[in-house]
Amino acid sequence: MSQPDTPPRRPLAQEPLLSRGVARALVAALVVDALGIGAGALGDAAVGGALRTSGILVAAVALVLLWSRRGDDRLERTPAAAAIVMAVATGLAAVGVIWLLNNGPERDIGIIGTTAAVGVVTAAAAAAASTAILIRPHVEAMAAHVWSGIAGAGFAIPFMAAGAAPELIMAGAVLIGVADRAGHRRRARALEARERALVRAGDRAAAQGPDPRDVERERRRGPALSPRERRRAVGLGVTAIGVVVVAWAVGVAVGSALDDGGTATGQGFAAASLAVLPLAALLALLRGALPTLRPWLAAGGGMLALASLALLAVPTDAVFLAAVAAQSVGVALLAGALARLGFGTGAESAVLVAIVAATAWWLVIVSSGGLLLAFAAVVPTLLAVRRGPRRAPRR
């Protein structure tokens, strides 16, 4: 009795950078950590600390899922064992450092509770293991152990002892894991490109149509812009940057003149947050999806505009919280629609992007007063400047 044929596995270069389980776990970790930060800000330190530690643990699970891949870039036995050894060793070192901080000679350092200590140990272990895995293709085993020990016990623990948040160390470990995965995919793409070059060299006479490399490059680059579209895209980028700069300048000037920095800062953020509207339109234009995204731009942009106008008119604490909540919903709509219609992601991936965007709005944009929106607009504006008519593909 014959076994059914199993579908062929996709090449590594065509697989997504993060699997669905890893992406879900990372988004969950971000949301749980954001809830912990919010609980701490509201005065409940115990619940906030427990949630932040839970976020670190969920991120550690996502990192293990990222390492536990199968296929061309799977971990071999030696680097996997080295990562486990270094993770355990660094975790034990973190336990020792925490014990010394709590029970050693008297110094001006607060007590690290059991819940927070779990997050510190997990973050330090993840930093060591991630480093051991990242550098495994480039150095000998001893050097990998040395550098992973430096990353975990030498950098991560002292930084956290000096006051760095364990979430930052955990985020660095996750980014190292993602960089390791991206490096393998990049090498797989280079290998496929060499194989295609050999095929073309052996059968040039029969080769027809555009070069596959050109097709892939153009797909990633996005549709070409006409001169009018390029001017429009550059104008949108400059507008987004200008809105933030003017809002900050006016907010600082008004706050200094009226000696009411709190109100002026809130109103300045309300004006700066309007930069999301031209920035979203710019990204949609670069992806060639502006016509299909116009209803979503109207819905999300309308929520942002109404929230900003309310905060400009009534700059109170209650209105500020309600406005930021409405803004985060509008940003989630824009980010999810752009991911789905502009970049062609699946429905679930678009939802994850929307959740990350809404959470980042609270954690990053609001805390920076909207200033980071100007920096976020610089890259797509430069891309619009460089984007020209599509060149004829090579034959």
Side-chain angles (χ1 to χ4, degrees):
M1 187 173 179
S2 60
Q3 295 292 335
D5 295 335
T6 58
R9 183 181 179 87
R10 287 189 299 177
L12 175 62
Q14 299 178 9
E15 292 183 357
L17 180 61
L18 299 178
S19 66
R20 185 172 297 177
V22 174
R24 290 174 179 174
L26 289 178
V27 171
L30 179 62
V31 173
V32 171
D33 191 72
L35 293 175
I37 294 175
L42 294 176
D44 198 337
V47 174
L51 287 174
R52 293 176 67 179
T53 298
S54 299
I56 294 174
L57 293 175
V58 174
V61 172
L63 195 55
V64 172
L65 291 176
L66 181 62
W67 293 333
S68 301
R69 59 228 179 197
R70 297 293 182 267
D72 297 334
D73 65 333
R74 65 184 180 276
L75 294 178
E76 297 177 356
R77 185 182 300 274
T78 300
I84 294 173
V85 169
M86 292 311 303
V88 173
T90 304
L92 293 176
V95 172
V97 171
I98 292 172
W99 186 89
L100 288 174
L101 292 177
N102 289 339
N103 303 286
E106 293 187 3
R107 55 177 67 87
D108 190 17
I109 297 177
I111 298 297
I112 299 177
T114 302
T115 305
V118 173
V120 171
V121 171
T122 304
S130 286
T131 307
I133 289 173
L134 177 67
I135 64 179
R136 76 189 191 280
H138 311 291
V139 297
E140 297 179 355
M142 181 57 69
H145 280 74
V146 170
W147 279 106
S148 59
I150 291 174
F155 282 105
I157 297 176
F159 277 143
M160 287 185 284
E167 292 94 334
L168 295 178
I169 305 299
M170 193 67 219
V174 171
L175 289 177
I176 290 175
V178 174
D180 173 65
R181 168 76 172 173
H184 281 281
R185 294 174 77 242
R186 185 174 59 253
R187 287 189 288 272
R189 288 196 184 100
L191 180 60
E192 291 181 1
R194 286 196 296 269
E195 291 176 351
R196 287 195 301 266
L198 291 174
V199 171
R200 287 194 303 272
D203 197 13
R204 290 178 182 175
Q208 295 180 356
D211 191 327
R213 291 181 300 178
D214 290 327
V215 175
E216 178 66 17
R217 187 182 301 111
E218 292 295 339
R219 186 190 67 80
R220 274 189 255 148
R221 186 173 179 236
L225 298 179
S226 65
R228 181 181 178 182
E229 290 174 334
R230 182 196 289 184
R231 290 193 297 269
R232 187 180 180 185
V234 173
L236 289 170
V238 173
T239 300
I241 298 172
V243 167
V244 177
V245 173
V246 172
W248 265 72
V250 173
V252 171
V254 172
S256 300
L258 300 180
D259 195 19
D260 189 9
T263 301
T265 300
Q267 292 178 322
F269 167 73
S273 62
L274 293 175
V276 174
L277 305 180
L279 178 57
L282 169 60
L283 294 174
L285 185 60
L286 289 177
R287 298 303 302 176
L290 186 57
T292 57
L293 279 171
R294 278 174 181 163
W296 295 96
L297 289 173
M303 296 185 67
L304 283 162
L306 289 176
S308 297
L309 290 176
L311 186 54
L312 286 170
V314 188
T316 61
D317 291 341
V319 174
F320 179 81
L321 290 176
V324 172
Q327 287 174 343
S328 65
V329 175
V331 169
L333 289 176
L334 291 174
L338 186 62
R340 185 78 174 95
L341 302 176
F343 291 86
T345 62
E348 182 179 355
S349 298
V351 172
L352 295 179
V353 170
I355 294 174
V356 171
T359 308
W361 184 263
W362 283 92
L363 296 180
V364 180
I365 303 301
V366 176
S367 62
S368 69
L371 183 62
L372 290 180
L373 290 174
F375 293 95
V378 170
V379 174
T381 303
L382 293 177
L383 290 176
V385 172
R386 296 183 56 187
R387 185 74 60 83
R390 184 178 286 112
R391 296 175 300 177
R394 294 193 301 268
R395 292 281 179 177

